[in-house]
Amino acid sequence: MARAPDAAVYDPVCGMDVHDLTRTHQALHKHKRLRFCSTHCRDRFKKDPERFSGTPLISIREMWKVFSMGDTTTEVLRGLSMNIWEGDFVVIIGPSGSGKSTALNMVGLLDRPTSGAYFLHGDDVSALTDDERAHVRSSTFGFVFQQYNLIPWLTAYENAALPLIFSKKRKAKKPFRHLFTEVGLGKRLEHRPTELSGGEQQRTALLRALANDPEILLADEPTGNLDSATGKLILDMLIDLYKVHKKTLLIVTHDSTIAEMADQVLAFKDGLLAHDHEAQRKAYTT
Protein backbone atom coordinates (compact mmCIF):
# COMPACT_ATOMS: atom_id res chain seq x y z
CA MET A 1 0.00 0.00 0.00
CA ALA A 2 2.70 2.50 0.98
CA ARG A 3 4.98 4.23 -1.49
CA ALA A 4 8.63 3.39 -1.59
CA PRO A 5 10.35 5.53 1.09
CA ASP A 6 12.91 6.89 -1.36
CA ALA A 7 10.10 8.22 -3.59
CA ALA A 8 8.66 10.53 -0.93
CA VAL A 9 9.48 14.23 -0.68
CA TYR A 10 7.90 15.87 2.34
CA ASP A 11 6.84 19.50 2.69
CA PRO A 12 8.97 20.66 5.67
CA VAL A 13 6.03 22.48 7.28
CA CYS A 14 2.83 20.45 6.81
CA GLY A 15 4.59 17.13 6.10
CA MET A 16 2.61 16.38 2.95
CA ASP A 17 4.32 14.12 0.41
CA VAL A 18 4.78 16.44 -2.58
CA HIS A 19 6.94 14.22 -4.80
CA ASP A 20 4.20 13.59 -7.37
CA LEU A 21 2.63 17.05 -7.41
CA THR A 22 2.88 18.73 -10.80
CA ARG A 23 3.14 22.16 -9.22
CA THR A 24 5.02 22.97 -6.00
CA HIS A 25 6.58 26.08 -4.48
CA GLN A 26 10.28 26.14 -3.70
CA ALA A 27 12.74 27.84 -1.37
CA LEU A 28 16.48 27.57 -0.91
CA HIS A 29 17.80 26.95 2.61
CA LYS A 30 21.43 26.18 3.44
CA HIS A 31 22.15 25.32 -0.22
CA LYS A 32 19.26 22.85 -0.27
CA ARG A 33 16.20 23.35 -2.45
CA LEU A 34 13.01 22.55 -0.58
CA ARG A 35 9.57 21.89 -2.04
CA PHE A 36 6.29 23.05 -0.51
CA CYS A 37 2.66 22.28 -1.27
CA SER A 38 1.65 25.95 -1.09
CA THR A 39 2.87 29.49 -0.70
CA HIS A 40 1.45 29.41 2.83
CA CYS A 41 3.75 26.56 3.91
CA ARG A 42 6.67 28.12 2.06
CA ASP A 43 6.13 31.51 3.72
CA ARG A 44 5.76 29.94 7.17
CA PHE A 45 9.10 28.24 6.62
CA LYS A 46 10.79 31.45 5.49
CA LYS A 47 9.61 33.30 8.61
CA ASP A 48 11.24 30.73 10.93
CA PRO A 49 13.49 28.33 8.98
CA GLU A 50 15.31 27.07 12.06
CA ARG A 51 12.08 25.99 13.69
CA PHE A 52 10.81 24.18 10.63
CA SER A 53 14.20 22.58 10.00
CA GLY A 54 13.92 20.89 13.39
CA THR A 55 11.89 17.95 14.63
CA PRO A 56 8.08 18.26 14.53
CA LEU A 57 6.15 17.54 17.69
CA ILE A 58 4.14 15.01 15.67
CA SER A 59 5.17 13.46 12.37
CA ILE A 60 3.06 10.90 10.54
CA ARG A 61 4.49 9.11 7.52
CA GLU A 62 2.67 7.00 4.93
CA MET A 63 -0.09 6.00 7.34
CA TRP A 64 -2.87 3.69 6.20
CA LYS A 65 -5.99 2.67 8.07
CA VAL A 66 -8.10 -0.05 6.50
CA PHE A 67 -11.31 -1.32 8.08
CA SER A 68 -12.50 -4.81 7.14
CA MET A 69 -15.94 -6.33 7.55
CA GLY A 70 -16.40 -9.70 5.93
CA ASP A 71 -15.35 -9.38 2.30
CA THR A 72 -15.60 -5.59 2.38
CA THR A 73 -12.61 -3.34 3.08
CA THR A 74 -12.67 0.43 3.46
CA GLU A 75 -9.49 2.47 3.11
CA VAL A 76 -10.00 5.50 5.37
CA LEU A 77 -6.40 6.73 5.51
CA ARG A 78 -4.49 6.09 2.28
CA GLY A 79 -0.84 6.90 2.91
CA LEU A 80 -1.31 10.03 5.03
CA SER A 81 1.78 12.11 5.82
CA MET A 82 1.59 15.25 7.97
CA ASN A 83 3.40 17.31 10.62
CA ILE A 84 2.14 19.07 13.73
CA TRP A 85 4.53 21.64 15.25
CA GLU A 86 4.78 22.36 18.95
CA GLY A 87 2.72 25.37 20.00
CA ASP A 88 0.68 25.51 16.79
CA PHE A 89 -3.08 25.87 16.50
CA VAL A 90 -3.97 23.41 13.72
CA VAL A 91 -7.39 22.86 12.17
CA ILE A 92 -8.29 19.81 10.08
CA ILE A 93 -11.06 20.41 7.53
CA GLY A 94 -12.56 18.30 4.78
CA PRO A 95 -15.75 16.55 3.70
CA SER A 96 -17.36 13.77 5.69
CA GLY A 97 -15.56 10.48 5.13
CA SER A 98 -12.23 12.11 4.27
CA GLY A 99 -10.46 10.57 7.29
CA LYS A 100 -10.36 13.59 9.64
CA SER A 101 -11.62 11.90 12.81
CA THR A 102 -9.68 8.72 12.08
CA ALA A 103 -6.47 10.74 11.79
CA LEU A 104 -7.25 12.45 15.11
CA ASN A 105 -7.73 9.05 16.75
CA MET A 106 -4.35 7.96 15.40
CA VAL A 107 -2.64 11.09 16.70
CA GLY A 108 -4.16 10.53 20.15
CA LEU A 109 -3.15 6.85 20.20
CA LEU A 110 -6.79 5.83 20.47
CA ASP A 111 -6.40 3.48 17.50
CA ARG A 112 -3.61 1.71 15.66
CA PRO A 113 -2.82 2.25 11.98
CA THR A 114 -2.83 -0.64 9.54
CA SER A 115 0.62 0.48 8.42
CA GLY A 116 2.87 3.53 8.49
CA ALA A 117 4.95 5.38 11.06
CA TYR A 118 4.07 7.83 13.83
CA PHE A 119 6.75 9.90 15.56
CA LEU A 120 6.07 11.89 18.75
CA HIS A 121 8.92 14.19 19.81
CA GLY A 122 11.00 12.29 17.28
CA ASP A 123 10.34 8.89 18.90
CA ASP A 124 8.56 6.18 16.95
CA VAL A 125 5.42 5.31 18.91
CA SER A 126 3.93 3.08 16.20
CA ALA A 127 4.87 -0.18 17.88
CA LEU A 128 4.24 0.63 21.55
CA THR A 129 2.44 -1.97 23.65
CA ASP A 130 -1.08 -1.26 24.85
CA ASP A 131 0.21 -0.31 28.32
CA GLU A 132 2.86 1.98 26.84
CA ARG A 133 0.31 3.63 24.58
CA ALA A 134 -2.04 4.19 27.53
CA HIS A 135 0.76 5.84 29.53
CA VAL A 136 1.75 8.17 26.69
CA ARG A 137 -1.89 8.94 25.93
CA SER A 138 -2.78 9.84 29.53
CA SER A 139 0.34 11.95 30.10
CA THR A 140 0.45 13.79 26.76
CA PHE A 141 -3.06 14.28 25.36
CA GLY A 142 -6.33 15.85 26.42
CA PHE A 143 -9.44 14.93 24.41
CA VAL A 144 -12.57 17.00 23.73
CA PHE A 145 -15.26 15.42 21.55
CA GLN A 146 -18.56 16.50 20.04
CA GLN A 147 -20.29 13.86 22.16
CA TYR A 148 -19.40 14.76 25.72
CA ASN A 149 -18.92 11.11 26.81
CA LEU A 150 -19.60 11.88 30.47
CA ILE A 151 -20.38 8.98 32.80
CA PRO A 152 -24.02 9.53 33.87
CA TRP A 153 -23.72 8.28 37.46
CA LEU A 154 -20.69 10.45 38.30
CA THR A 155 -20.80 14.11 39.31
CA ALA A 156 -19.28 16.82 37.13
CA TYR A 157 -16.23 16.91 39.39
CA GLU A 158 -15.82 13.12 39.34
CA ASN A 159 -16.08 13.05 35.54
CA ALA A 160 -13.46 15.78 35.19
CA ALA A 161 -11.12 14.06 37.65
CA LEU A 162 -11.16 10.66 35.91
CA PRO A 163 -7.83 11.19 34.06
CA LEU A 164 -6.11 11.75 37.41
CA ILE A 165 -7.18 8.28 38.51
CA PHE A 166 -5.97 6.54 35.35
CA SER A 167 -2.66 8.40 35.32
CA LYS A 168 -2.14 7.82 39.06
CA LYS A 169 -1.77 11.56 39.55
CA ARG A 170 -3.41 13.49 42.33
CA LYS A 171 -4.61 17.06 42.35
CA ALA A 172 -5.99 18.82 45.39
CA LYS A 173 -9.73 19.33 45.19
CA LYS A 174 -9.52 23.03 46.06
CA PRO A 175 -7.47 24.12 42.99
CA PHE A 176 -9.57 21.87 40.77
CA ARG A 177 -12.74 23.43 42.21
CA HIS A 178 -11.25 26.80 41.29
CA LEU A 179 -11.13 25.70 37.63
CA PHE A 180 -14.86 24.93 37.77
CA THR A 181 -15.48 28.42 39.10
CA GLU A 182 -13.38 29.96 36.30
CA VAL A 183 -15.58 28.34 33.62
CA GLY A 184 -18.84 29.21 35.37
CA LEU A 185 -19.48 25.78 36.89
CA GLY A 186 -18.66 26.57 40.50
CA LYS A 187 -22.20 25.77 41.62
CA ARG A 188 -22.56 22.71 39.37
CA LEU A 189 -19.58 20.71 40.60
CA GLU A 190 -21.71 18.06 42.39
CA HIS A 191 -24.35 17.80 39.65
CA ARG A 192 -24.63 14.78 37.37
CA PRO A 193 -24.64 15.09 33.56
CA THR A 194 -28.44 14.85 33.24
CA GLU A 195 -28.66 17.93 35.46
CA LEU A 196 -26.34 19.96 33.22
CA SER A 197 -27.06 21.81 29.98
CA GLY A 198 -25.20 20.89 26.80
CA GLY A 199 -22.79 23.79 27.29
CA GLU A 200 -22.17 22.82 30.91
CA GLN A 201 -21.48 19.23 29.88
CA GLN A 202 -19.00 20.38 27.23
CA ARG A 203 -17.24 22.63 29.75
CA THR A 204 -17.02 19.66 32.11
CA ALA A 205 -15.57 17.58 29.27
CA LEU A 206 -13.02 20.33 28.61
CA LEU A 207 -11.98 20.37 32.28
CA ARG A 208 -11.60 16.59 32.06
CA ALA A 209 -9.27 17.09 29.09
CA LEU A 210 -7.20 19.53 31.15
CA ALA A 211 -7.02 17.45 34.34
CA ASN A 212 -3.54 16.10 33.58
CA ASP A 213 -2.20 19.40 32.23
CA PRO A 214 -1.70 17.81 28.77
CA GLU A 215 0.82 19.04 26.26
CA ILE A 216 -1.53 18.51 23.30
CA LEU A 217 -5.28 19.14 23.13
CA LEU A 218 -7.27 17.18 20.53
CA ALA A 219 -10.82 18.27 19.77
CA ASP A 220 -13.30 16.67 17.37
CA GLU A 221 -16.14 19.08 16.47
CA PRO A 222 -16.08 20.54 20.00
CA THR A 223 -18.76 23.15 19.21
CA GLY A 224 -20.88 20.98 16.90
CA ASN A 225 -23.72 20.29 19.36
CA LEU A 226 -23.81 23.77 20.92
CA ASP A 227 -25.69 26.96 20.23
CA SER A 228 -23.63 29.84 18.84
CA ALA A 229 -23.14 31.65 22.18
CA THR A 230 -22.05 28.52 24.05
CA GLY A 231 -19.91 27.42 21.10
CA LYS A 232 -18.11 30.76 21.20
CA LEU A 233 -17.46 30.30 24.92
CA ILE A 234 -15.90 26.86 24.36
CA LEU A 235 -13.85 28.19 21.43
CA ASP A 236 -12.61 31.13 23.50
CA MET A 237 -11.52 28.72 26.23
CA LEU A 238 -9.61 26.60 23.72
CA ILE A 239 -7.95 29.64 22.15
CA ASP A 240 -6.94 30.85 25.61
CA LEU A 241 -5.26 27.51 26.30
CA TYR A 242 -3.34 27.85 23.05
CA LYS A 243 -2.33 31.50 23.40
CA VAL A 244 -1.84 31.89 27.15
CA HIS A 245 -0.95 28.39 28.28
CA LYS A 246 1.01 27.45 25.13
CA LYS A 247 -0.84 24.23 24.44
CA THR A 248 -0.61 22.63 21.01
CA LEU A 249 -4.17 22.58 19.70
CA LEU A 250 -5.51 20.26 16.99
CA ILE A 251 -9.19 20.63 16.08
CA VAL A 252 -11.31 18.75 13.54
CA THR A 253 -14.17 21.03 12.54
CA HIS A 254 -16.70 22.14 9.95
CA ASP A 255 -16.85 25.56 11.62
CA SER A 256 -15.38 28.21 9.32
CA THR A 257 -14.86 30.60 12.25
CA ILE A 258 -12.43 28.15 13.85
CA ALA A 259 -10.61 27.54 10.56
CA GLU A 260 -10.06 31.28 10.09
CA MET A 261 -8.17 31.52 13.41
CA ALA A 262 -5.71 28.66 12.91
CA ASP A 263 -1.95 28.91 12.32
CA GLN A 264 -2.18 25.97 9.96
CA VAL A 265 -5.09 24.37 8.14
CA LEU A 266 -4.73 20.77 6.98
CA ALA A 267 -7.35 19.95 4.35
CA PHE A 268 -8.23 16.28 3.96
CA LYS A 269 -9.52 14.55 0.86
CA ASP A 270 -9.88 10.79 0.37
CA GLY A 271 -7.65 9.92 3.34
CA LEU A 272 -4.78 12.22 2.34
CA LEU A 273 -3.81 15.87 2.67
CA ALA A 274 -5.24 17.93 -0.16
CA HIS A 275 -2.92 20.10 -2.22
CA ASP A 276 -2.62 23.76 -1.10
CA HIS A 277 -4.38 23.80 2.25
CA GLU A 278 -4.56 27.59 2.34
CA ALA A 279 -6.60 27.66 -0.87
CA GLN A 280 -8.86 25.06 0.73
CA ARG A 281 -9.20 27.27 3.81
CA LYS A 282 -10.23 30.25 1.70
CA ALA A 283 -12.78 28.19 -0.20
CA TYR A 284 -14.04 26.78 3.07
CA THR A 285 -14.46 30.11 4.85
CA THR A 286 -15.94 32.23 2.02
Side-chain angles (χ1 to χ4, degrees):
M1 290 183 291
R3 298 185 181 96
D6 58 357
V9 177
Y10 300 112
D11 181 314
V13 176
C14 71
M16 179 182 184
D17 182 1
V18 298
H19 90 278
D20 58 355
L21 294 183
T22 56
R23 183 187 177 197
T24 57
H25 303 267
Q26 301 185 18
L28 193 64
H29 180 66
K30 293 184 177 179
H31 308 292
K32 183 178 180 181
R33 189 164 297 281
L34 305 174
R35 296 175 63 191
F36 301 85
C37 76
S38 64
T39 56
H40 177 73
C41 285
R42 183 197 63 193
D43 292 346
R44 286 202 79 195
F45 180 88
K46 285 183 174 182
K47 287 180 181 178
D48 196 350
E50 295 308 312
R51 178 192 186 202
F52 293 113
S53 296
T55 301
L57 174 60
I58 290 169
S59 181
I60 285 174
R61 293 291 178 260
E62 302 294 336
M63 182 176 284
W64 287 74
K65 181 62 179 180
V66 180
F67 293 97
S68 298
M69 183 175 292
D71 295 331
T72 303
T73 60
T74 303
E75 297 173 343
V76 180
L77 300 180
R78 303 176 62 249
L80 174 69
S81 295
M82 70 178 190
N83 294 336
I84 306 294
W85 293 88
E86 186 174 1
D88 263 5
F89 172 16
V90 181
V91 161
I92 295 178
I93 62 174
S96 298
S98 59
K100 304 185 302 296
S101 294
T102 300
L104 198 72
N105 289 341
M106 297 299 166
V107 168
L109 297 174
L110 294 172
D111 199 359
R112 291 182 180 273
T114 305
S115 65
Y118 174 14
F119 299 91
L120 179 63
H121 284 297
D123 297 324
D124 190 350
V125 295
S126 306
L128 294 181
T129 66
D130 288 343
D131 286 345
E132 290 169 335
R133 288 165 62 86
H135 173 72
V136 173
R137 186 167 57 241
S138 65
S139 61
T140 306
F141 299 100
F143 301 90
V144 184
F145 299 105
Q146 182 175 1
Q147 304 301 325
Y148 317 123
N149 297 327
L150 300 178
I151 297 175
W153 56 86
L154 298 182
T155 66
Y157 173 80
E158 291 167 339
N159 268 286
L162 275 176
L164 301 177
I165 298 171
F166 290 118
S167 66
K168 301 180 181 179
K169 293 182 180 179
R170 293 291 182 266
K171 182 175 284 192
K173 190 169 184 176
K174 186 175 180 180
F176 208 41
R177 184 185 293 272
H178 178 63
L179 291 178
F180 273 81
T181 301
E182 282 188 0
V183 300
L185 294 175
K187 296 182 179 180
R188 313 292 279 170
L189 192 138
E190 302 300 333
H191 287 65
R192 288 177 170 75
T194 55
E195 302 170 306
L196 303 174
S197 69
E200 289 171 337
Q201 291 185 59
Q202 187 63 300
R203 278 177 276 170
T204 301
L206 181 54
L207 291 179
R208 179 183 58 196
L210 299 176
N212 283 338
D213 191 24
E215 179 182 4
I216 305 167
L217 275 171
L218 306 177
D220 193 352
E221 298 286 1
T223 62
N225 284 338
L226 306 175
D227 62 77
S228 58
T230 307
K232 183 180 184 304
L233 174 63
I234 295 298
L235 179 58
D236 288 345
M237 291 170 63
L238 290 168
I239 297 298
D240 179 73
L241 290 165
Y242 151 68
K243 288 185 175 179
V244 178
H245 299 280
K246 309 303 180 184
K247 303 294 184 185
T248 301
L249 184 58
L250 179 59
I251 299 180
V252 168
T253 187
H254 286 95
D255 188 332
S256 60
T257 302
I258 299 177
E260 287 175 346
M261 295 178 169
D263 296 316
Q264 180 82 46
V265 167
L266 299 178
F268 275 47
K269 182 179 180 181
D270 299 330
L272 293 165
L273 290 192
H275 179 221
D276 197 344
H277 325 294
E278 195 62 14
Q280 300 287 335
R281 184 210 305 239
K282 290 176 182 177
Y284 193 78
T285 56
T286 55

